Amino acid sequence: MTSARLDLTVLPEALTGALPDWLPGQRWFAGKDRPVLGVRVRRLTPLLADDPTLVLAIVEVDQGTTPERYQLLLGARPELPDWLLPHRVCTWDGWDCYDASQDPELAAELLELIAAGREVEDLRFTPEPGVELSAGLRGRPVGAEQSNTSLVYGSQYILKLFRKLVPGENRDLTLHRALASAGCEHIAPPLGSISAPDGTLGLLQSFVEGAADGWAMATASVRDLMAEADLHADEVGGDFAGEAQRLGHAVAEVHADLRRAAESRLATAEELTALIEAMHRRLDTMLESVPELAEHAEALRKAFDAALAADEPVEVQHVHGDLHLGQCLRTVTGWVLIDFEGEPAAPAAERAKLRSPLRDVAGMLRSFDYAAHQRLVGHTDDHQLTVRALEWAQRNRTAFCAGYAEVAGDPREHAELLRALELDKAVYEVAYEHANRPEWLPIPLSSIARITSGEEPS
């Protein structure tokens, strides 16, 4: 027989027993490559004490290194309906405990709290200044996300719940606020937030309805080209170069808005030296685990050192930090950039550093290369399709840089640094593909070979 109201004091024991097995199965959990040694419950805040119950939890996960904190949104019902069974976490006080982000009824409560500007214990649910929100909307989860969980409310709002937590205000919220203050046209405006004393838990934004995903658009263009293998990229109906140029223009405008709204300066000689040294260290680490990289090591080191030897001034500022086609949405009015958290695997202090805008440019160049070659995975012996893929990638890389140059100067004028940053990103990709998708390893390895040999100009 279940209790009429749940006893929170028994929940920590249930969670610590269940979460070591449950967490690695979640898409947003960052530690899938390491065993979970233990889980400690740091916070339990009831947001709705009813049937169903809603609790916000913060847990600390031990995986043998520095413990990492994660946010869980937990629901509980006396008996789960069939559609919630796949999201069950544990049994708690006779009730079934589950991931409440999958429950539209409970997700609605978060929007209600933000709209009302409520405080629950020391949690703050806050609309942005001057924003009035419509409540009463149920939230449905976005299925494609990797490192966080986003809930869409009707066609109006999207709430991102940050799963892996960092101390202080999340840079996604910080940079969206800065860009909104600068009147940036290429973001979804921030509308509200959820915060605790030690960090940001959620970011509410306008929902960009009917937007097309940049990666989906680009790969559809490549698919059309491969289907017409006798034609060149500019002869196929799905040519993407015009959109690539407009995207380059949009990225440059975002960088310009960030320069106006936040800090920018010239990098010191010590910072540039540290940047190149970090590239060498990353390469050293990868050489220990990926033998296929060894034949490119000398050329990579020369490219890294050439960026330092160029001895040119490098402006640094806040940038996106993890820019690729999947972080870009095409709306009826133009391109919108999303997810300004930075590289998910990087420490928070690293993501907060000022960087050259060329880092974002390099990320986009790598993304065009991936879009061009992803259909060739397992078919690299098809010479004609390989030639077409290379042609598509270079055409769109060139168009993107041309669009960027319309606003902020041509990034190709800083060839050595741009090349080094792109190669550093490719080394990271080698590590990822080696660990997760070995069949994709030829994509970054072949790019490294082309760039270091001069066959693929930036």
Side-chain angles (χ1 to χ4, degrees):
M1 182 174 179
T2 60
S3 54
R5 181 160 294 198
L6 294 175
D7 180 4
L8 280 181
T9 63
V10 303
L11 180 55
E13 183 178 357
L15 289 175
T16 55
L19 289 178
D21 293 326
W22 184 80
L23 285 170
Q26 307 313 302
R27 178 178 294 187
W28 43 260
F29 184 62
K32 295 185 183 68
D33 58 337
R34 293 165 287 147
V36 176
L37 305 178
V39 176
R40 185 176 181 181
V41 177
R42 287 293 190 178
R43 165 189 284 277
L44 291 175
T45 304
L47 303 180
L48 189 64
D50 209 337
D51 176 8
T53 290
L54 178 62
V55 175
L56 190 149
I58 294 177
V59 299
E60 193 171 76
V61 182
D62 177 12
Q63 294 191 277
T65 56
T66 303
E68 295 175 331
R69 294 193 176 192
Y70 287 85
Q71 174 185 189
L72 307 180
L73 196 66
L74 302 174
R77 294 173 181 260
E79 184 176 352
L80 286 188
D82 290 346
W83 59 276
L84 282 174
L85 286 174
H87 309 293
R88 183 180 177 277
V89 179
C90 62
T91 298
W92 158 32
D93 198 23
W95 291 41
D96 284 321
C97 176
Y98 61 98
D99 180 2
S101 69
Q102 305 298 314
D103 186 338
E105 180 182 349
L106 292 183
E109 184 67 17
L110 298 177
L111 179 60
E112 297 277 350
L113 290 167
I114 297 173
R118 288 276 308 280
E119 290 191 14
V120 181
E121 296 180 358
D122 56 358
L123 297 181
R124 297 184 303 279
F125 297 80
T126 313
E128 290 294 290
V131 170
E132 292 188 10
L133 300 170
S134 300
L137 299 173
R138 292 190 165 204
R140 65 183 189 277
V142 175
E145 238 179 344
Q146 297 291 331
S147 56
N148 295 299
T149 299
S150 287
L151 306 171
V152 175
Y153 296 88
S155 60
Q156 296 172 259
Y157 312 124
I158 182 167
L159 173 63
K160 180 193 292 185
L161 298 174
F162 299 109
R163 291 296 196 167
K164 184 178 176 181
L165 301 178
V166 298
E169 186 173 275
N170 191 291
R171 79 187 297 267
D172 201 12
L173 175 59
T174 301
L175 296 189
H176 270 99
R177 282 175 170 167
L179 287 165
S181 72
C184 183
E185 298 178 354
H186 302 290
I187 61 165
L191 301 177
S193 62
I194 306 171
S195 60
D198 56 351
T200 308
L201 304 180
L203 168 61
L204 184 72
Q205 297 173 266
S206 296
F207 179 59
V208 184
E209 188 177 20
D213 174 83
W215 173 258
M217 291 177 65
T219 52
S221 171
V222 174
R223 180 197 61 212
D224 292 346
L225 176 62
M226 298 302 186
E228 300 285 353
D230 292 333
L231 299 179
H232 295 284
D234 60 345
E235 299 173 328
V236 177
D239 184 25
F240 191 71
E243 290 296 346
Q245 183 167 357
R246 286 185 280 274
L247 179 56
H249 190 109
V251 171
E253 288 191 333
V254 169
H255 285 161
D257 288 336
L258 282 171
R259 277 195 298 276
R260 286 193 295 272
E263 180 183 0
S264 68
R265 57 176 174 77
L266 291 179
T268 66
E270 291 77 14
E271 286 174 320
L272 294 176
T273 299
L275 171 65
I276 303 306
E277 288 176 347
M279 294 180 181
H280 282 290
R281 286 196 302 273
R282 210 163 5 252
L283 176 58
D284 290 338
T285 301
M286 295 307 104
L287 287 170
E288 295 176 3
S289 57
V290 188
E292 296 92 337
L293 199 54
E295 64 179 293
H296 305 293
E298 183 179 355
L300 283 164
R301 295 193 191 281
K302 287 182 178 179
F304 296 159
D305 291 339
L308 192 59
D311 194 28
E312 60 180 7
V314 176
E315 187 174 22
V316 292
Q317 61 169 89
H318 290 291
V319 299
H320 184 282
D322 186 33
L323 192 60
H324 53 79
L325 285 162
Q327 305 280 37
C328 307
L329 301 178
R330 183 61 164 94
T331 73
V332 294
T333 58
W335 284 97
V336 168
L337 274 57
I338 61 174
D339 295 339
F340 283 77
E341 282 185 85
E343 172 55 51
E350 187 73 15
R351 285 183 264 167
K353 290 180 179 178
L354 301 185
R355 301 190 180 279
S356 167
L358 293 176
R359 180 175 291 272
D360 283 349
V361 174
M364 286 302 306
L365 296 183
R366 294 299 314 131
S367 195
F368 284 122
D369 190 71
Y370 258 76
H373 289 89
Q374 46 86 34
R375 293 187 69 85
L376 295 180
V377 172
H379 304 282
T380 53
D381 56 344
D382 191 319
H383 176 72
Q384 186 176 23
L385 293 184
T386 299
V387 170
R388 288 292 173 263
L390 290 170
E391 179 186 353
W392 187 96
Q394 192 54 49
R395 175 172 172 78
N396 287 281
R397 288 159 59 96
T398 299
F400 177 84
C401 289
Y404 193 98
E406 294 169 0
V407 176
D410 196 330
R412 294 165 293 188
E413 293 177 357
H414 307 279
E416 289 82 5
L417 180 56
L418 181 57
R419 185 179 300 113
L421 289 167
E422 186 177 357
L423 287 169
D424 183 51
K425 180 70 171 178
V427 169
Y428 167 84
E429 293 163 355
V430 165
Y432 179 85
E433 304 301 5
H434 181 266
N436 297 281
R437 300 184 298 190
E439 69 277 12
W440 287 56
L441 192 55
I443 294 179
L445 284 175
S446 61
S447 290
I448 289 171
R450 289 193 304 272
I451 296 170
T452 55
S453 67
E455 296 177 20
E456 188 171 282
S458 295

